[in-house]
Amino acid sequence: MANRLANESSPYLLQHADNPVDWYPWSLEAHELSRADDKPIFLSIGYSACHWCHVMEHESFENEAIAEKMNELFVCVKVDREERPDLDQIYMNAVQLMTGHGGWPMSVFLTPNLQPFYGGTYWPPEPRQGMPGFEQVLIAVADAWKNRRDAAVEQAGKLTDHLCEFAAATTDSTTITEDSFSAAAAKLERVFDFTYGGFGRAPKFPHPMDLQLLLRAWSRSRKDQWLGMVTLNLDKMAHGGIYDHLAGGFARYSVDQRWLVPHFEKMFYDNALLTSAYLEGFLATGNQEYAEVARETIEYILREMTDDEGGFHSTEDADSEGVEGKFYVWTPAEIREVLGQQRGERFCDVYDVTEVGNFEGQNILNLPRTIEQAARLRNWDLGELSAELADSRAKLRAVRGRRIRPGKDDKVLVSWNGLMIDALARAAGVLGAPQYYDAAARAAKFLLSDLRADNGRMLHCWRHGKARLAAYLDDYAYLTCAMVTLYEASFDEAWIDEAVALANVMLVHFADQKQGGFFFTADDHEALIARNKDLHDSSVPSGNSMAATALLRLGTLCGRADYLDAARGTLEMAHETMMNSPTATGQMLVAANLLIGPTRAIVFVGPDASSEDPSGIQQTAARFRRHFLPNCVIAGRPADAEDQYQSPHLAPLFLGKRQAGGGTTVYVCENFACQAPVHGEAGISDLLTRLTS
């Protein structure tokens, strides 16, 4: 018989709707029941693609005896961390304070007033490998609540005080300099793996924000070591098993040091962030492989992860048919059956497919040698081999598509969608692919229309026609950045209006007016035991770092000193955190790079964007989009634009700018002042050389 989760929309919660556990969603009903029955709350937080969440569900939450004990002793509450990152942040901080580590599934015991007093992550049903059995934990916690309640309540109170102090923690504001930025990049260098790429040892997670930071550090210093770190990391990931060589896209992380064996779940946000990292790698180096990886990842998202309404879905599981990775692995016989003997053997040679296998007797496709190296080694013609492998990959992908796919979480989250809209809009210009802009614009229009409350504020998530939950800081910050990038990709000034509206909500409802920075929840959000201010990147950029990035870009375009001041206050407040933890503040340092400057607005005025004239504003801007210019924002307006919509927010930027000559005139502005205009092929080429050198 279904429990109360059957009425929820989250795929993760619905996975637990038939458990014998009497689950409640996070709700006033559950909180009041806890107080009325004088029972602690057992809070379980996870997400739909989480392998160990599935394991704990199967072992414990589907176990009738354990479920009976849970129902007898506790009010059981299940939360999707992707729907409620506010709760996840608070109680993850609590678990880390209690145990020194965290992860999912997260398991926390709360007093009836929602204060945590004991917690952990995964517990097996019976004692195993030094871990207590989950039933033992339940009995011990219930006994502590019954017989040692004063100690439990005292611990909960102290822990909550620590959480509040942690949430409100500030540091002395410090001016950020280029030396600060270089020092952070040097710290990244000390923890980099110069053999396999990446930071630290196994398990290896992609660090796209850190790679983007290193590219900016290299752009400033031209220190080849930092560019080499980026290219090694991008190469190793693209060649490893963490990358899906048939369909594109990246798995969540690698369980080994050399990126071979992935944890097979595919998270939407990873693919959005890695798309941006590979695009920047391509711009900085001209390496066409990086462009191809970005393109293939985008095509995976558009093909497999796009909702009919235009938004993007959240995750794909690691498991299919109850087995982790089953959808993705191959045997030599399976490949020969699809490709034939000769082509099959050649494919297996290139992609490391053997009878012994590289993963539990089967094979994860990867490239221990590049295709060029394989061709040289075997004396094969590179052009013929590349064409053959492309055809082979397409055939294998079609056959794999007939397998039972991993489960998908098809909810749409504003924050993660903002990351992909940004990447798509950027890719449209970098790769010369206008269809990517169209997909980004469609997704953005969907979010702005279908995920808005009646009062105009954003909502956080949507599934099957229903939007819910007040948006968080990262929803607003990521989407503001995406609106700016959509404008830069099209010069459609309506996107700037949307960006300004979103930024104003951040300043009014999320800003910490006393200490600087932004809270994760709005001032009218549900009251929780702490109001968090996230500064550290997790698998996604922190809300504060993206708010600073968005405000610096938008403030530069619109001439808004209040936006620039709010960004400066955020970054100066986080200076000590950036210096102490550069591997956890990559996006904050990317924003700091903009703050340090010089940050320029490049303004194009000339023939209409729809003109076929190669000297038109879009055609001229396209040349700039194909260069790595991390400290620039761009704007463009037809010289005769009276009949087109003009955003009032861009009026200061375009004031007094006129077309000179027959083609596009380019203005470079910095600190609210503009250099002499440039026009003509020679002048524009010289300007590009100066900007990129």
mmCIF file of all heavy atoms in Angstrom, residues 418-454:
data_model
loop_
_atom_site.group_PDB
_atom_site.id
_atom_site.type_symbol
_atom_site.label_atom_id
_atom_site.label_comp_id
_atom_site.label_asym_id
_atom_site.label_seq_id
_atom_site.Cartn_x
_atom_site.Cartn_y
_atom_site.Cartn_z
ATOM 1 N N GLY A 418 19.952 26.716 -15.990
ATOM 2 C CA GLY A 418 20.700 27.945 -16.249
ATOM 3 C C GLY A 418 22.117 27.660 -16.711
ATOM 4 O O GLY A 418 22.646 28.318 -17.616
ATOM 5 N N LEU A 419 22.766 26.656 -16.103
ATOM 6 C CA LEU A 419 24.121 26.289 -16.513
ATOM 7 C C LEU A 419 24.158 25.824 -17.963
ATOM 8 O O LEU A 419 25.069 26.169 -18.719
ATOM 9 C CB LEU A 419 24.661 25.181 -15.607
ATOM 10 C CG LEU A 419 24.903 25.529 -14.137
ATOM 11 C CD1 LEU A 419 25.295 24.277 -13.359
ATOM 12 C CD2 LEU A 419 25.975 26.599 -13.984
ATOM 13 N N MET A 420 23.152 25.024 -18.362
ATOM 14 C CA MET A 420 23.152 24.496 -19.727
ATOM 15 C C MET A 420 22.758 25.556 -20.734
ATOM 16 O O MET A 420 23.294 25.588 -21.852
ATOM 17 C CB MET A 420 22.202 23.299 -19.831
ATOM 18 C CG MET A 420 22.400 22.480 -21.093
ATOM 19 S SD MET A 420 23.991 21.587 -21.060
ATOM 20 C CE MET A 420 24.510 21.716 -22.761
ATOM 21 N N ILE A 421 21.837 26.426 -20.374
ATOM 22 C CA ILE A 421 21.475 27.530 -21.272
ATOM 23 C C ILE A 421 22.708 28.385 -21.549
ATOM 24 O O ILE A 421 22.982 28.769 -22.694
ATOM 25 C CB ILE A 421 20.336 28.375 -20.660
ATOM 26 C CG1 ILE A 421 19.041 27.560 -20.635
ATOM 27 C CG2 ILE A 421 20.133 29.666 -21.438
ATOM 28 C CD1 ILE A 421 17.954 28.174 -19.767
ATOM 29 N N ASP A 422 23.475 28.651 -20.510
ATOM 30 C CA ASP A 422 24.710 29.424 -20.667
ATOM 31 C C ASP A 422 25.676 28.708 -21.609
ATOM 32 O O ASP A 422 26.237 29.313 -22.533
ATOM 33 C CB ASP A 422 25.352 29.629 -19.292
ATOM 34 C CG ASP A 422 26.547 30.562 -19.339
ATOM 35 O OD1 ASP A 422 27.639 30.107 -19.714
ATOM 36 O OD2 ASP A 422 26.376 31.737 -19.006
ATOM 37 N N ALA A 423 25.872 27.395 -21.386
ATOM 38 C CA ALA A 423 26.805 26.640 -22.220
ATOM 39 C C ALA A 423 26.334 26.584 -23.667
ATOM 40 O O ALA A 423 27.133 26.725 -24.603
ATOM 41 C CB ALA A 423 26.980 25.229 -21.653
ATOM 42 N N LEU A 424 25.038 26.376 -23.884
ATOM 43 C CA LEU A 424 24.504 26.304 -25.246
ATOM 44 C C LEU A 424 24.653 27.636 -25.976
ATOM 45 O O LEU A 424 25.037 27.675 -27.153
ATOM 46 C CB LEU A 424 23.031 25.902 -25.204
ATOM 47 C CG LEU A 424 22.721 24.426 -24.959
ATOM 48 C CD1 LEU A 424 21.243 24.254 -24.633
ATOM 49 C CD2 LEU A 424 23.095 23.588 -26.173
ATOM 50 N N ALA A 425 24.317 28.719 -25.285
ATOM 51 C CA ALA A 425 24.415 30.032 -25.921
ATOM 52 C C ALA A 425 25.863 30.353 -26.269
ATOM 53 O O ALA A 425 26.160 30.923 -27.326
ATOM 54 C CB ALA A 425 23.827 31.102 -25.001
ATOM 55 N N ARG A 426 26.777 29.958 -25.386
ATOM 56 C CA ARG A 426 28.204 30.183 -25.664
ATOM 57 C C ARG A 426 28.658 29.312 -26.836
ATOM 58 O O ARG A 426 29.398 29.757 -27.714
ATOM 59 C CB ARG A 426 29.013 29.872 -24.412
ATOM 60 C CG ARG A 426 30.386 30.500 -24.366
ATOM 61 C CD ARG A 426 31.036 30.240 -23.015
ATOM 62 N NE ARG A 426 30.274 30.783 -21.914
ATOM 63 C CZ ARG A 426 30.367 32.024 -21.471
ATOM 64 N NH1 ARG A 426 31.193 32.861 -22.074
ATOM 65 N NH2 ARG A 426 29.650 32.431 -20.441
ATOM 66 N N ALA A 427 28.207 28.055 -26.849
ATOM 67 C CA ALA A 427 28.601 27.125 -27.905
ATOM 68 C C ALA A 427 28.097 27.583 -29.266
ATOM 69 O O ALA A 427 28.751 27.338 -30.286
ATOM 70 C CB ALA A 427 28.082 25.728 -27.596
ATOM 71 N N ALA A 428 26.952 28.243 -29.298
ATOM 72 C CA ALA A 428 26.412 28.706 -30.576
ATOM 73 C C ALA A 428 27.413 29.595 -31.298
ATOM 74 O O ALA A 428 27.624 29.462 -32.515
ATOM 75 C CB ALA A 428 25.102 29.450 -30.346
ATOM 76 N N GLY A 429 28.060 30.488 -30.555
ATOM 77 C CA GLY A 429 29.040 31.378 -31.165
ATOM 78 C C GLY A 429 30.379 30.725 -31.388
ATOM 79 O O GLY A 429 31.003 30.889 -32.433
ATOM 80 N N VAL A 430 30.845 29.950 -30.407
ATOM 81 C CA VAL A 430 32.162 29.337 -30.506
ATOM 82 C C VAL A 430 32.204 28.315 -31.639
ATOM 83 O O VAL A 430 33.187 28.236 -32.390
ATOM 84 C CB VAL A 430 32.534 28.663 -29.167
ATOM 85 C CG1 VAL A 430 33.831 27.873 -29.297
ATOM 86 C CG2 VAL A 430 32.667 29.712 -28.060
ATOM 87 N N LEU A 431 31.138 27.529 -31.767
ATOM 88 C CA LEU A 431 31.118 26.434 -32.744
ATOM 89 C C LEU A 431 30.385 26.803 -34.026
ATOM 90 O O LEU A 431 30.286 25.970 -34.936
ATOM 91 C CB LEU A 431 30.475 25.191 -32.123
ATOM 92 C CG LEU A 431 31.125 24.673 -30.832
ATOM 93 C CD1 LEU A 431 30.355 23.483 -30.295
ATOM 94 C CD2 LEU A 431 32.581 24.306 -31.065
ATOM 95 N N GLY A 432 29.862 28.025 -34.097
ATOM 96 C CA GLY A 432 29.103 28.421 -35.278
ATOM 97 C C GLY A 432 27.874 27.563 -35.481
ATOM 98 O O GLY A 432 27.595 27.111 -36.600
ATOM 99 N N ALA A 433 27.120 27.333 -34.407
ATOM 100 C CA ALA A 433 25.968 26.426 -34.441
ATOM 101 C C ALA A 433 24.731 27.164 -33.923
ATOM 102 O O ALA A 433 24.416 27.086 -32.733
ATOM 103 C CB ALA A 433 26.251 25.181 -33.593
ATOM 104 N N PRO A 434 24.020 27.883 -34.777
ATOM 105 C CA PRO A 434 22.866 28.654 -34.311
ATOM 106 C C PRO A 434 21.769 27.799 -33.697
ATOM 107 O O PRO A 434 20.967 28.305 -32.898
ATOM 108 C CB PRO A 434 22.379 29.363 -35.579
ATOM 109 C CG PRO A 434 22.978 28.600 -36.725
ATOM 110 C CD PRO A 434 24.265 28.063 -36.219
ATOM 111 N N GLN A 435 21.720 26.506 -34.035
ATOM 112 C CA GLN A 435 20.692 25.645 -33.447
ATOM 113 C C GLN A 435 20.881 25.510 -31.936
ATOM 114 O O GLN A 435 19.914 25.260 -31.202
ATOM 115 C CB GLN A 435 20.692 24.263 -34.112
ATOM 116 C CG GLN A 435 21.902 23.379 -33.831
ATOM 117 C CD GLN A 435 23.053 23.601 -34.797
ATOM 118 O OE1 GLN A 435 23.161 24.680 -35.407
ATOM 119 N NE2 GLN A 435 23.899 22.595 -34.960
ATOM 120 N N TYR A 436 22.106 25.686 -31.453
ATOM 121 C CA TYR A 436 22.332 25.620 -30.012
ATOM 122 C C TYR A 436 21.759 26.860 -29.323
ATOM 123 O O TYR A 436 21.221 26.773 -28.212
ATOM 124 C CB TYR A 436 23.824 25.475 -29.705
ATOM 125 C CG TYR A 436 24.435 24.182 -30.207
ATOM 126 C CD1 TYR A 436 25.816 24.060 -30.361
ATOM 127 C CD2 TYR A 436 23.652 23.084 -30.541
ATOM 128 C CE1 TYR A 436 26.391 22.882 -30.823
ATOM 129 C CE2 TYR A 436 24.214 21.902 -31.003
ATOM 130 C CZ TYR A 436 25.581 21.811 -31.144
ATOM 131 O OH TYR A 436 26.152 20.646 -31.596
ATOM 132 N N TYR A 437 21.873 28.003 -29.976
ATOM 133 C CA TYR A 437 21.217 29.193 -29.425
ATOM 134 C C TYR A 437 19.711 28.993 -29.385
ATOM 135 O O TYR A 437 19.051 29.357 -28.397
ATOM 136 C CB TYR A 437 21.551 30.445 -30.239
ATOM 137 C CG TYR A 437 20.709 31.635 -29.824
ATOM 138 C CD1 TYR A 437 21.061 32.386 -28.707
ATOM 139 C CD2 TYR A 437 19.540 31.969 -30.505
ATOM 140 C CE1 TYR A 437 20.272 33.444 -28.290
ATOM 141 C CE2 TYR A 437 18.749 33.022 -30.098
ATOM 142 C CZ TYR A 437 19.112 33.754 -28.990
ATOM 143 O OH TYR A 437 18.321 34.799 -28.571
ATOM 144 N N ASP A 438 19.145 28.421 -30.431
ATOM 145 C CA ASP A 438 17.696 28.209 -30.470
ATOM 146 C C ASP A 438 17.248 27.323 -29.309
ATOM 147 O O ASP A 438 16.211 27.585 -28.673
ATOM 148 C CB ASP A 438 17.290 27.568 -31.804
ATOM 149 C CG ASP A 438 17.516 28.487 -32.990
ATOM 150 O OD1 ASP A 438 17.630 29.711 -32.788
ATOM 151 O OD2 ASP A 438 17.583 27.968 -34.125
ATOM 152 N N ALA A 439 18.021 26.263 -29.031
ATOM 153 C CA ALA A 439 17.673 25.376 -27.917
ATOM 154 C C ALA A 439 17.790 26.109 -26.583
ATOM 155 O O ALA A 439 16.953 25.934 -25.679
ATOM 156 C CB ALA A 439 18.585 24.145 -27.926
ATOM 157 N N ALA A 440 18.819 26.942 -26.440
ATOM 158 C CA ALA A 440 19.000 27.711 -25.206
ATOM 159 C C ALA A 440 17.860 28.700 -25.009
ATOM 160 O O ALA A 440 17.314 28.838 -23.905
ATOM 161 C CB ALA A 440 20.341 28.442 -25.243
ATOM 162 N N ALA A 441 17.499 29.409 -26.077
ATOM 163 C CA ALA A 441 16.429 30.399 -25.980
ATOM 164 C C ALA A 441 15.100 29.737 -25.654
ATOM 165 O O ALA A 441 14.306 30.253 -24.854
ATOM 166 C CB ALA A 441 16.326 31.184 -27.285
ATOM 167 N N ARG A 442 14.844 28.575 -26.265
ATOM 168 C CA ARG A 442 13.592 27.858 -25.989
ATOM 169 C C ARG A 442 13.520 27.448 -24.518
ATOM 170 O O ARG A 442 12.483 27.600 -23.862
ATOM 171 C CB ARG A 442 13.504 26.630 -26.890
ATOM 172 C CG ARG A 442 12.237 25.802 -26.704
ATOM 173 C CD ARG A 442 12.139 24.707 -27.760
ATOM 174 N NE ARG A 442 10.953 23.902 -27.573
ATOM 175 C CZ ARG A 442 10.939 22.615 -27.251
ATOM 176 N NH1 ARG A 442 12.100 21.971 -27.102
ATOM 177 N NH2 ARG A 442 9.820 21.951 -27.099
ATOM 178 N N ALA A 443 14.618 26.925 -23.995
ATOM 179 C CA ALA A 443 14.647 26.526 -22.585
ATOM 180 C C ALA A 443 14.456 27.737 -21.671
ATOM 181 O O ALA A 443 13.720 27.673 -20.678
ATOM 182 C CB ALA A 443 15.965 25.821 -22.269
ATOM 183 N N ALA A 444 15.117 28.842 -22.003
ATOM 184 C CA ALA A 444 15.004 30.041 -21.168
ATOM 185 C C ALA A 444 13.572 30.572 -21.156
ATOM 186 O O ALA A 444 13.043 30.939 -20.090
ATOM 187 C CB ALA A 444 15.966 31.114 -21.676
ATOM 188 N N LYS A 445 12.934 30.611 -22.299
ATOM 189 C CA LYS A 445 11.557 31.099 -22.365
ATOM 190 C C LYS A 445 10.625 30.190 -21.572
ATOM 191 O O LYS A 445 9.678 30.657 -20.920
ATOM 192 C CB LYS A 445 11.113 31.201 -23.817
ATOM 193 C CG LYS A 445 11.808 32.330 -24.574
ATOM 194 C CD LYS A 445 11.473 32.312 -26.069
ATOM 195 C CE LYS A 445 12.224 33.413 -26.803
ATOM 196 N NZ LYS A 445 12.005 33.365 -28.268
ATOM 197 N N PHE A 446 10.896 28.884 -21.612
ATOM 198 C CA PHE A 446 10.095 27.938 -20.827
ATOM 199 C C PHE A 446 10.243 28.222 -19.333
ATOM 200 O O PHE A 446 9.249 28.294 -18.600
ATOM 201 C CB PHE A 446 10.528 26.512 -21.150
ATOM 202 C CG PHE A 446 10.042 25.490 -20.176
ATOM 203 C CD1 PHE A 446 8.695 25.169 -20.091
ATOM 204 C CD2 PHE A 446 10.930 24.852 -19.317
ATOM 205 C CE1 PHE A 446 8.243 24.233 -19.168
ATOM 206 C CE2 PHE A 446 10.495 23.919 -18.403
ATOM 207 C CZ PHE A 446 9.145 23.604 -18.322
ATOM 208 N N LEU A 447 11.464 28.392 -18.867
ATOM 209 C CA LEU A 447 11.673 28.673 -17.443
ATOM 210 C C LEU A 447 10.987 29.968 -17.032
ATOM 211 O O LEU A 447 10.332 30.038 -15.978
ATOM 212 C CB LEU A 447 13.167 28.774 -17.132
ATOM 213 C CG LEU A 447 14.037 27.543 -17.349
ATOM 214 C CD1 LEU A 447 15.473 27.847 -16.938
ATOM 215 C CD2 LEU A 447 13.522 26.343 -16.598
ATOM 216 N N LEU A 448 11.148 30.991 -17.849
ATOM 217 C CA LEU A 448 10.623 32.311 -17.484
ATOM 218 C C LEU A 448 9.103 32.372 -17.538
ATOM 219 O O LEU A 448 8.499 33.237 -16.907
ATOM 220 C CB LEU A 448 11.223 33.375 -18.407
ATOM 221 C CG LEU A 448 12.741 33.587 -18.249
ATOM 222 C CD1 LEU A 448 13.272 34.447 -19.381
ATOM 223 C CD2 LEU A 448 13.070 34.212 -16.891
ATOM 224 N N SER A 449 8.488 31.455 -18.258
ATOM 225 C CA SER A 449 7.020 31.459 -18.333
ATOM 226 C C SER A 449 6.392 30.427 -17.407
ATOM 227 O O SER A 449 5.430 30.717 -16.701
ATOM 228 C CB SER A 449 6.564 31.209 -19.774
ATOM 229 O OG SER A 449 6.969 29.919 -20.216
ATOM 230 N N ASP A 450 6.952 29.202 -17.362
ATOM 231 C CA ASP A 450 6.300 28.105 -16.655
ATOM 232 C C ASP A 450 6.827 27.886 -15.245
ATOM 233 O O ASP A 450 6.226 27.107 -14.489
ATOM 234 C CB ASP A 450 6.454 26.805 -17.446
ATOM 235 C CG ASP A 450 5.578 26.779 -18.686
ATOM 236 O OD1 ASP A 450 5.460 27.821 -19.351
ATOM 237 O OD2 ASP A 450 5.004 25.725 -18.988
ATOM 238 N N LEU A 451 7.929 28.507 -14.875
ATOM 239 C CA LEU A 451 8.460 28.346 -13.525
ATOM 240 C C LEU A 451 8.474 29.677 -12.789
ATOM 241 O O LEU A 451 9.408 30.007 -12.067
ATOM 242 C CB LEU A 451 9.865 27.733 -13.551
ATOM 243 C CG LEU A 451 9.854 26.212 -13.742
ATOM 244 C CD1 LEU A 451 9.965 25.850 -15.208
ATOM 245 C CD2 LEU A 451 10.941 25.534 -12.934
ATOM 246 N N ARG A 452 7.401 30.422 -12.960
ATOM 247 C CA ARG A 452 7.232 31.687 -12.249
ATOM 248 C C ARG A 452 5.963 31.630 -11.427
ATOM 249 O O ARG A 452 4.926 31.142 -11.884
ATOM 250 C CB ARG A 452 7.169 32.855 -13.228
ATOM 251 C CG ARG A 452 8.536 33.512 -13.431
ATOM 252 C CD ARG A 452 8.424 34.866 -14.081
ATOM 253 N NE ARG A 452 9.654 35.612 -13.934
ATOM 254 C CZ ARG A 452 10.228 36.293 -14.915
ATOM 255 N NH1 ARG A 452 9.701 36.314 -16.118
ATOM 256 N NH2 ARG A 452 11.343 36.974 -14.708
ATOM 257 N N ALA A 453 6.047 32.131 -10.204
ATOM 258 C CA ALA A 453 4.874 32.226 -9.343
ATOM 259 C C ALA A 453 4.020 33.420 -9.771
ATOM 260 O O ALA A 453 4.430 34.249 -10.596
ATOM 261 C CB ALA A 453 5.321 32.372 -7.894
ATOM 262 N N ASP A 454 2.836 33.511 -9.186
ATOM 263 C CA ASP A 454 1.922 34.599 -9.546
ATOM 264 C C ASP A 454 2.521 35.972 -9.241
ATOM 265 O O ASP A 454 2.173 36.964 -9.896
ATOM 266 C CB ASP A 454 0.595 34.429 -8.791
ATOM 267 C CG ASP A 454 -0.187 33.214 -9.271
ATOM 268 O OD1 ASP A 454 0.094 32.733 -10.387
ATOM 269 O OD2 ASP A 454 -1.057 32.742 -8.520
#
